Amino acid sequence: MREIVLIKNGELALKGLNRSSFEDVLIKNMRRHLAPLGTFQFTKSQSTIMVEPEDPDTDLDDTVDALTRVFGIAALSRAAVCEKDIEDIAATALEYLKEPLEDAKTFKVEAKRSDKKFPMKSPEICREMGGRILRRFHHLKVDVHNPDITVTVEVRDRYAFVRGNNLHGAGGMPTGTGGRAAVLISGGIDSPVASYMMAKLLKKVARYSGWITTFVVPFTEIQEQIRDKCPEEYFTIIMRRVMMMISARIAKSQNCHALITGESVGQVASQTMYALACTDCAADMPVFRPCIGMDKDEIIAISRKIDTFETSIEPYEDCCTVFTPKHPKTKPRLDDVLKAE
């Protein structure tokens, strides 16, 4: 049985006449992620990209696992290819989805008929397929609202496809279509251990984003100067401003046009709205904070999902905690901060 992976690219459908160029970048990124597994054919058709291995022995489990880490994919699913004939479609579905149908208690059928020359309309395909499934799997019941499995039949130009439930993709837009940005990551005191830990962490992140260049900035001497010459309540805010200044210089040198940080509003004293406003003034480029509205539990859940949590909690002294003031300013005024700085 011929099997492929169907990719649903979500937001790219909103790009109008530019959609094709975004899809080309997405295919380039998919090809890079799949390179260790072999060579693949990519076919674009009606907001869907079909991914087919050239070697029939390619492990599709590994293929799907790699594709779930590609940004720009909203959903994906393994699918069986069949002829555009209801008998072949039904026979393929009953064989291909036998195991998930046996394990399920409820199901529904969805049909998408892109080829309008196909003799059966979508509701007719659903009725026919539903009847055949019920006759084969007597334990099943139809649930159109919350089924255990959705059997989807897609009738397209050349072939028909049969698939089960979708898997969620990484979502978002394809890496490389939104410009370049520099990410600030706290790596601990300038030491071989901290550098190694950050390199190990970024290897995990790069499984999603692609190649990452890492710059390790010696910061202890700067912190000592701040400690010796600035009011204690402004230690943290001035330290973070200097981090922004340095990061902006590095970002420009790498043709980046924004900074990205992991700050969440109100989580610590330096992350109040007042403190963040003072920090942003030190960077002459946009600062993006994807985690700004998340609480700690939400952030931890994502870190576990992308497999960075265990690395992130390995013990080392973070540079942000070495010179922590006893009573940091939570509502700093920019003119006072600049005077101290």
Side-chain angles (χ1 to χ4, degrees):
M1 184 178 296
R2 183 180 164 198
E3 194 175 10
I4 65 170
V5 181
L6 293 178
I7 304 295
K8 303 296 183 181
N9 51 35
E11 293 183 27
L12 300 194
L14 304 177
K15 296 302 177 182
L17 297 177
N18 295 322
R19 186 175 72 189
S20 181
S21 61
F22 281 84
E23 289 177 334
D24 290 342
V25 175
L26 177 58
I27 290 174
K28 178 182 177 181
N29 294 341
M30 287 193 288
R31 199 183 300 278
R32 185 181 70 245
H33 276 78
L34 294 177
L37 303 177
T39 54
F40 295 78
Q41 293 291 332
F42 298 86
T43 305
K44 299 187 291 185
S45 177
Q46 301 162 325
S47 300
T48 300
I49 299 175
M50 291 167 277
V51 182
E52 183 174 6
E54 292 186 357
D55 183 351
D57 294 327
T58 300
D59 191 323
L60 275 192
D61 287 334
D62 291 342
T63 301
V64 169
D65 182 59
L67 290 172
T68 58
R69 295 190 292 270
V70 180
F71 290 115
I73 296 177
L76 67 159
S77 60
R78 295 170 65 157
V81 183
C82 48
E83 297 299 324
K84 292 194 298 182
D85 173 80
I86 192 61
E87 295 299 328
D88 192 40
I89 292 172
T92 301
L94 294 173
E95 178 186 353
Y96 183 63
L97 299 175
K98 177 182 177 182
E99 189 172 316
L101 286 169
E102 287 178 339
D103 293 339
K105 294 181 179 179
T106 58
F107 82 104
K108 76 171 181 178
V109 178
E110 290 185 351
K112 300 178 181 180
R113 188 182 63 128
S114 301
D115 180 5
K116 302 307 180 185
K117 295 179 181 178
F118 190 74
M120 300 176 69
K121 295 182 179 179
S122 295
E124 295 172 322
I125 297 172
C126 291
R127 284 195 298 270
E128 181 65 24
M129 291 296 299
R132 295 193 185 212
I133 290 172
L134 287 171
R135 289 193 293 272
R136 173 75 176 272
F137 301 96
H138 302 290
H139 68 288
L140 284 175
K141 293 183 178 180
V142 175
D143 184 346
V144 297
H145 300 294
N146 189 31
D148 295 330
I149 179 173
T150 298
V151 176
T152 301
V153 176
E154 297 192 31
V155 181
R156 293 181 173 268
D157 295 338
R158 296 176 59 194
Y159 302 103
F161 304 100
V162 174
R163 59 181 174 85
N165 291 338
N166 275 330
L167 296 175
H168 290 294
M173 298 300 293
T175 300
T177 59
R180 291 167 60 87
V183 184
L184 283 70
I185 300 180
S186 57
I189 302 171
D190 180 29
S191 69
V193 173
S195 299
Y196 167 75
M197 304 232 349
M198 289 317 307
K200 185 165 66 170
L201 180 60
L202 287 177
K203 283 181 181 178
K204 292 182 178 291
V205 178
R207 294 169 66 200
Y208 290 83
S209 64
W211 182 263
I212 298 176
T213 303
T214 307
F215 294 83
V216 180
V217 180
F219 206 68
T220 303
E221 186 176 350
I222 295 173
Q223 288 180 297
E224 290 172 344
Q225 292 291 313
I226 294 172
R227 178 196 61 194
D228 295 342
K229 299 180 179 180
C230 295
E232 182 182 359
E233 64 268 29
Y234 293 115
F235 280 0
T236 303
I237 190 68
I238 293 175
M239 179 186 71
R240 297 177 81 88
R241 280 176 53 84
V242 175
M243 287 179 174
M244 286 290 190
M245 296 175 193
I246 295 172
S247 300
R249 291 186 188 183
I250 295 173
K252 289 177 182 177
S253 76
Q254 299 301 302
N255 194 31
C256 297
H257 305 288
L259 300 177
I260 301 172
T261 78
E263 292 157 317
S264 174
V265 69
Q267 198 169 99
V268 294
S270 62
Q271 294 178 18
T272 64
M273 287 191 291
Y274 307 91
L276 292 176
C278 290
T279 302
D280 283 3
C281 291
D284 53 352
M285 59 177 57
V287 181
F288 300 144
R289 296 182 171 91
C291 302
I292 194 67
M294 296 183 183
D295 61 30
K296 201 65 176 180
D297 289 340
E298 291 175 302
I299 295 171
I300 289 173
I302 294 174
S303 73
R304 290 185 186 278
K305 175 185 174 183
I306 64 175
D307 194 29
T308 60
F309 179 75
E310 297 299 331
T311 304
S312 298
I313 63 172
E314 289 184 21
Y316 68 93
E317 286 191 303
D318 185 285
C319 63
C320 296
T321 61
V322 176
F323 299 102
T324 302
K326 293 180 180 178
H327 302 290
K329 280 278 188 181
T330 58
K331 295 183 179 181
R333 289 165 46 90
L334 181 59
D335 52 353
D336 294 333
V337 172
L338 293 175
K339 183 179 178 180
E341 187 175 281

